[in-house]
Amino acid sequence: MSSPYETVIGLEAHVQLATQSKAFCGDATAFGAEPNTQLSIVSLGYPGTLPRLNKKQLAYAIRLGLATKGQITKRTTFDRKNYVYADLPKGYQITQDRAPISIGGHLPIRLPDGSSKHIRLHHIHMEEDAGKSIHSAGKNYTQIDLNRAGVPLLEVVTEPDLRSADEVAAFMRELRRLVRYLGISDGNMQEGSLRCDVNISIRPHGSKTYGTRTEVKNLNSMRYARQAIAFEVQRQTELLDEGELVVQETRQFDPQRGQTFSLRTKEEAHDYRYFPDPDLPPVQITKKQIDEQRNRASQLPWLAYAHIYELLENDHKDTENIIDEPEVYFWFSQLMDAGLPPKHTAKLVLNKLLPWLREHDLQPAQCPLSAEQIGKYLQLIESGKVAAAQANAKLLPALLEQPEHKPEKLADELGLMQLQDDDFLFRLAQVVTSEFPDKVAAYKKGKKGLIGFFMGEVMKRSQGKAEPKATRAILQKLLENDA
């Protein structure tokens, strides 16, 4: 039974930027360092210390704003968001409230059914991250790691345009691709480089009025986001069906129970006592800065999708897999520029070469095979000189281990070259058919499936080297013409 309510979702996605230093000081940002080792008096908020804007954070913010068709704010400013929490050492967060770096814009997403949708963005703003609270099971205290405090973030705030968990997943997937294509973040959700807060409400179908929303904080996996959305929609539905009201609040997701629970009543902007940061002057964005970043924001994942989708003759699945990682897309594009056949190359890349590269902890650009070698390898299969199964099982592994060899010479050394001598194959077929006259008769009476039996016998006698296409043609001609 369908629900009488429509789900309405807005996102606040947090993108951790791939800078070597923090947003407003020189502390390192490397992931995985020992707790509380990447700190200084600035990130700890000691009295008398002064912040200084990370230029790369500004450049990356402009780049993302341009890529999403936002309006870059020419005079952008910083504000202090005041609240007290154990992992916020200064007692406030430097963020942007009055003049965020980018206003408006949109992000195009593709849904599982193949349709597309533009999700409007309200704005993108720069800010710094808080530290990390660690709640260990069985312990009655919380540990604090402040390494992350001050790490530069971009917060991407959408309009309430999303209607399902599928759309949220599609948005986060496309945002992850985008920041990777732009080179501004690694987008690793498992490392906290990409997280989202989900604002969820429901309303009767057809209603233009938004319902009361709840915010579920810090979802760093799409599996958890889906579970949190499903639980929250069900919880709000039950409240409304029972005549109760949904309370505007901030909630946390418990992955063990698959449920959200209340953290605090939802704050309004005035609760944070925003005011201009007195230590950071306004930043005037120049046309030169915008033009520099526009040139770096030209390679977009949805354009990559359109390019590969056409090359692969509308194969959605393989296109998605090719463009998912920018390194794979750029490598595949180079192979296409070298004139390799798109569909066969895509299958080889996705099914054989990428698994081998990952197993050996190598990037696509480090593939030991050149475009010329890959092309010649594919030609051996296409021409029938080497059977595809033999090529994949024996020739390709040998070629990857000995990339200095030519594919055809290596195939010959391995004894993989198929027999294509028509006279030899004809004589072999004659021997086989003469040995099984009863099966020849059965074939002539209509049991055409016996062609497989004869193929097998020829292959057995040729030790698997008979070229299948030519062999089948010779057998069919011999069986149908044999008196």
Side-chain angles (χ1 to χ4, degrees):
M1 181 178 177
S2 61
S3 171
Y5 301 106
E6 176 186 43
T7 301
V8 178
I9 301 171
L11 293 180
E12 298 167 16
H14 304 269
V15 180
Q16 181 176 310
L17 298 177
T19 60
Q20 294 183 340
S21 57
K22 292 186 179 179
F24 301 105
C25 67
D27 298 351
T29 60
F31 177 80
E34 287 296 313
N36 298 310
T37 58
Q38 298 183 158
L39 302 171
S40 69
I41 57 175
V42 179
S43 57
L44 290 173
Y46 276 42
T49 58
L50 293 173
R52 183 177 180 180
L53 176 62
N54 186 324
K55 290 183 178 179
K56 190 163 282 188
Q57 179 182 18
L58 178 63
Y60 287 175
I62 295 171
R63 194 180 303 176
L64 183 59
L66 292 170
T68 53
K69 305 298 183 184
Q71 180 65 44
I72 303 302
T73 304
K74 300 299 175 55
R75 186 178 186 273
T76 190
T77 58
F78 290 93
D79 303 276
R80 290 187 181 181
K81 180 180 180 180
N82 297 273
Y83 63 96
V84 177
Y85 204 72
D87 59 14
L88 192 69
K90 295 197 291 275
Y92 63 86
Q93 177 189 37
I94 299 177
T95 184
Q96 292 190 296
D97 179 48
R98 296 166 302 136
I101 187 67
S102 177
I103 304 293
H106 65 267
L107 184 71
I109 64 172
R110 276 185 308 280
L111 301 174
D113 64 2
S115 62
S116 61
K117 181 177 180 180
H118 281 194
I119 305 301
R120 294 173 300 150
L121 304 184
H122 185 275
H123 72 270
I124 299 171
H125 68 258
M126 295 180 282
E127 63 183 22
E128 61 179 343
D129 209 346
K132 184 179 181 181
S133 297
I134 303 169
H135 312 285
S136 301
K139 296 182 179 178
N140 59 358
Y141 58 86
T142 297
Q143 296 173 299
I144 302 295
D145 180 6
L146 294 177
N147 280 349
R148 202 171 68 186
V151 166
L153 297 178
L154 294 180
E155 182 169 327
V156 180
V157 182
T158 78
E159 298 288 359
D161 286 354
L162 300 127
R163 295 292 177 266
S164 68
D166 280 344
E167 291 190 6
V168 171
F171 181 93
M172 295 301 291
R173 180 172 61 248
E174 202 63 38
L175 180 61
R176 174 180 173 273
R177 284 176 179 165
L178 177 58
V179 298
R180 288 185 168 190
Y181 272 73
L182 296 178
I184 66 175
S185 175
D186 60 27
N188 290 330
M189 294 192 79
Q190 67 273 21
E191 295 181 2
S193 298
L194 187 62
R195 315 187 295 275
C196 67
D197 301 339
V198 184
N199 293 287
I200 307 164
S201 66
I202 61 174
R203 64 184 178 184
H205 282 288
S207 173
K208 300 299 182 184
T209 304
Y210 293 124
T212 302
R213 73 182 188 275
T214 59
E215 180 182 27
V216 184
K217 298 286 285 185
N218 289 329
L219 295 167
N220 65 351
S221 94
M222 286 322 304
R223 182 164 66 92
Y224 292 163
R226 286 178 180 277
Q227 292 175 356
I229 292 167
F231 176 83
E232 197 57 24
V233 168
Q234 182 63 30
R235 187 186 71 85
Q236 293 185 23
T237 297
E238 290 175 358
L239 286 173
L240 295 185
D241 285 347
E242 293 170 5
E244 299 183 31
L245 297 177
V246 176
V247 176
Q248 184 173 335
E249 60 184 344
T250 299
R251 299 178 70 86
Q252 188 81 35
F253 178 68
D254 180 354
Q256 300 297 323
R257 296 185 300 164
Q259 300 177 355
T260 67
F261 59 91
S262 181
L263 281 178
R264 55 187 177 271
T265 302
K266 175 65 179 175
E267 301 92 342
E268 301 292 348
H270 64 264
D271 294 317
Y272 290 115
R273 295 183 298 114
Y274 283 101
F275 64 84
D277 192 299
D279 297 328
L280 287 163
V283 178
Q284 194 71 35
I285 309 298
T286 65
K287 182 178 183 299
K288 180 181 178 182
Q289 287 175 297
I290 293 175
D291 289 342
E292 285 177 353
Q293 297 309 313
R294 181 174 283 111
N295 292 334
R296 295 170 180 261
S298 58
Q299 189 55 66
L300 304 173
W302 46 91
L303 298 181
Y305 179 91
H307 171 219
I308 301 302
Y309 188 67
E310 182 179 3
L311 284 175
L312 299 187
E313 299 174 14
N314 305 339
D315 187 327
H316 170 71
K317 183 179 179 181
D318 281 357
T319 300
E320 281 280 308
N321 290 328
I322 288 289
I323 67 108
D324 195 43
E325 303 288 347
E327 297 84 4
V328 176
Y329 167 69
F330 294 136
W331 176 42
F332 186 76
S333 295
Q334 290 174 347
L335 297 179
M336 294 300 96
D337 291 342
L340 272 60
K343 299 196 76 169
H344 290 159
T345 304
K347 296 296 183 187
L348 180 65
V349 164
L350 293 173
N351 299 333
K352 299 297 177 181
L353 295 179
L354 279 179
W356 187 90
L357 289 169
R358 287 164 182 157
E359 181 183 343
H360 291 78
D361 198 25
L362 296 173
Q363 292 297 314
Q366 297 172 298
C367 180
L369 303 183
S370 66
E372 182 182 6
Q373 285 175 300
I374 293 173
K376 288 182 177 178
Y377 171 83
L378 291 171
Q379 285 173 5
L380 286 175
I381 299 172
E382 182 65 21
S383 66
K385 291 182 177 180
V386 178
Q390 294 279 60
N392 290 330
K394 296 181 180 179
L395 178 57
L396 185 60
L399 196 58
L400 287 165
E401 295 298 331
Q402 306 171 66
E404 69 280 1
H405 283 61
K406 292 183 178 180
E408 187 164 357
K409 183 178 180 182
L410 188 56
D412 189 44
E413 291 175 0
L414 293 171
L416 302 178
M417 298 295 285
Q418 294 191 129
L419 294 169
Q420 295 181 303
D421 185 325
D422 285 355
D423 290 338
F424 176 80
L425 292 176
F426 184 79
R427 290 195 298 272
L428 206 55
Q430 279 184 316
V431 171
V432 168
T433 54
S434 66
E435 288 183 4
F436 300 97
D438 55 333
K439 288 188 168 28
V440 171
Y443 179 90
K444 289 179 176 295
K445 290 179 180 179
K447 291 189 175 181
K448 303 301 183 183
L450 283 169
I451 189 70
F453 168 79
F454 292 113
M455 285 285 295
E457 289 298 318
V458 172
M459 287 296 175
K460 188 189 301 182
R461 286 163 169 75
S462 68
Q463 297 181 331
K465 294 183 179 181
E467 199 283 313
K469 189 175 180 180
T471 301
R472 176 178 286 270
I474 289 170
L475 278 168
Q476 286 176 330
K477 185 175 180 181
L478 192 61
L479 288 166
E480 289 167 8
N481 294 335
D482 192 341

